[in-house]
C-alpha cells in the first residue's frame, strides 16, 4: 500500500512538515516524488517511520537514528526486542507503547497480522504524556485538575476516526492560515475560514470547553507563549499575531 505524505502524517500523528524534514536530511526518503510534488511512501517506509518514532521516544537524536538505521548490520527484530526491554523500564508512563512494540515483534515473527494504523496507536498516549510535560502544570493551574484530566481522558478515548479528523483539521488550519496571511486582513473571508476551521479543531479535542472567551484566550496565548508563537511563526512569519487578531474579529 502507498501513502502520500499527508496521509502518512495523519496516520502516524506527526506533521507533513516533519516528513519533509526527514526527507531533506536523508532520514526517511519517499519511494518517489510525483510530478505534482507529492511525496509517495510504501509500507517499507511506514515500518522505517515506526522505528524512527520508537527511537525518538527513547531520546535518540535524529543524527544518531540515521546512523543506526543506515548501518548494514542493523537488525530490525533485534532492535524491537531492545526497544521492548527499555520500554518495560518505563512501564508506568509508556504501557500503551510497550503493547505496541510487543505486537510489532509478533507481526515480524508472523504470529499475527498488524495493520499500518495499529502501528501508531501507542503514540496517542505519548501525545498525552508530551502535552502534560510541556503544558500540564500551566493548564492545571489555570483550569484545574478536573478539566485537564477530562481533556486527557477524551483524547485517550478518541476513536481513530476522530483522531484522524483532528489531524485533518490541524493541517487545514495551517494551510488556511498561509492563505489568509497573504491578504493582510484579519477580517477577510480567508481569515474567517481559518478561524472557523480552528474552532472545529478545538472542539474535536475539547468539545465541552469551547466558548468565545476560551477561543480568544488561546489566541492571546499563541502570542504570549514563546512555544506557541514559534509554532505559528514557523507556518508563516507573523502568523501568531495574525491568527490572534483574526480570532478576535471572528469571536466578536
Amino acid at each position: 500500500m502507498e501513502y502520500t505524505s499527508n496521509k502518512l502524517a495523519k496516520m502516524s500523528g506527526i506533521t507533513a512538515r516533519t516528513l519533509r524534514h526527514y526527507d531533506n536530511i536523508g532520514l526517511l526518503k519517499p519511494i518517489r516524488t510525483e510530478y505534482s510534488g507529492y511525496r509517495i511512501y510504501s509500507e517499507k517506509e511506514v515500518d522505517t517511520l515506526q522505528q524512527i518514532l520508537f527511537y525518538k521516544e527513547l531520546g535518540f537524536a535524529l543524527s544518531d537514528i540515521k546512523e543506526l538505521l543506515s548501518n548494514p548490520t542493523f537488525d530490525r527484530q533485534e532492535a524491537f526486542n531492545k526497544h521492548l526491554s527499555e520500554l518495560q523500564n518505563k512501564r508506568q508512563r509508556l504501557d500503551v507503547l510497550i503493547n505496541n512494540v510487543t505486537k510489532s515483534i509478533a507481526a515480524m515473527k508472523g504470529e499475527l497480522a498488524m495493520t499500518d494504523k495499529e502501528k501508531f496507536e501507542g503514540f496517542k498516549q505519548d501525545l498525552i504524556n508530551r502535552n502534560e510535560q510541556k503544558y500540564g502544570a500551566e493548564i492545571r493551574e489555570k483550569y484545574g485538575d478536573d478539566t485537564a484530566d477530562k481533556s486527557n481522558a477524551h483524547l485517550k478515548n478518541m476513536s481513530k476516526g476522530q483522531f484522524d479528523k483532528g489531524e485533518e483539521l490541524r493541517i487545514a488550519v495551517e494551510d488556511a492560515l498561509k492563505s489568509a496571511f497573504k491578504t493582510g486582513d484579519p477580517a477577510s473571508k480567508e481569515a474567517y475560514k481559518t478561524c472557523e476551521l480552528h474552532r472545529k479543531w478545538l472542539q474535536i479535542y475539547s468539545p465541552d470547553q469551547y466558548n468565545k472567551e476560551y477561543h480568544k484566550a488561546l489566541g492571546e496565548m499563541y502570542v504570549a507563549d514563546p512555544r506557541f508563537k514559534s509554532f505559528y511563526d514557523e507556518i508563516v512569519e507573523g502568523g501568531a499575531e495574525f491568527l490572534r487578531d483574526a480570532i478576535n474579529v471572528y469571536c466578536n
Side-chain angles (χ1 to χ4, degrees), residues 59-75:
F60 284 73
L62 292 182
S63 58
D64 294 332
I65 297 174
K66 181 179 178 181
E67 184 176 347
L68 283 167
L69 296 181
S70 62
N71 190 324
T73 63
F74 177 77
D75 185 320

Side-chain angles (χ1 to χ4, degrees), residues 131-228:
N131 285 342
E132 275 287 343
Q133 184 178 359
K134 285 186 177 180
Y135 313 115
E138 299 166 45
I139 292 174
R140 290 177 184 279
E141 181 179 354
K142 188 169 185 178
Y143 298 106
D145 288 338
D146 186 57
T147 297
D149 291 341
K150 284 182 179 179
S151 178
N152 288 341
H154 174 73
L155 176 56
K156 189 172 183 178
N157 293 322
M158 283 172 65
S159 68
K160 183 63 178 173
Q162 289 174 310
F163 193 76
D164 287 347
K165 183 63 177 178
E167 285 301 292
E168 178 183 321
L169 284 168
R170 179 184 60 76
I171 293 170
V173 168
E174 293 184 11
D175 291 340
L177 178 59
K178 292 176 186 177
S179 297
F181 187 82
K182 292 177 182 178
T183 70
D185 181 8
S188 65
K189 291 181 180 179
E190 291 83 356
Y192 182 91
K193 176 185 176 181
T194 302
C195 294
E196 185 77 357
L197 290 167
H198 191 258
R199 174 185 62 79
K200 292 178 180 179
W201 176 70
L202 291 174
Q203 289 178 316
I204 286 283
Y205 293 99
S206 303
D208 301 324
Q209 192 173 348
Y210 181 86
N211 57 54
K212 291 182 178 180
E213 292 307 312
Y214 171 74
H215 201 170
K216 288 194 289 185
L218 283 179
E220 293 296 338
M221 185 173 66
Y222 292 161
V223 175
D225 190 312
R227 294 164 297 184
F228 287 103

Side-chain angles (χ1 to χ4, degrees), residues 1-3 23 35-36 51 55 71 84 92 95 106 113 122 127 129 138 145 168-169 180 236:
M1 190 169 183
E2 294 185 348
Y3 303 90
D23 183 7
Y35 181 77
S36 60
Q51 193 74 61
Y55 275 124
N71 190 324
L84 181 59
Q92 185 175 3
D95 56 342
L127 177 60
N129 294 335
E138 299 166 45
D145 288 338
E168 178 183 321
L169 284 168
V236 59

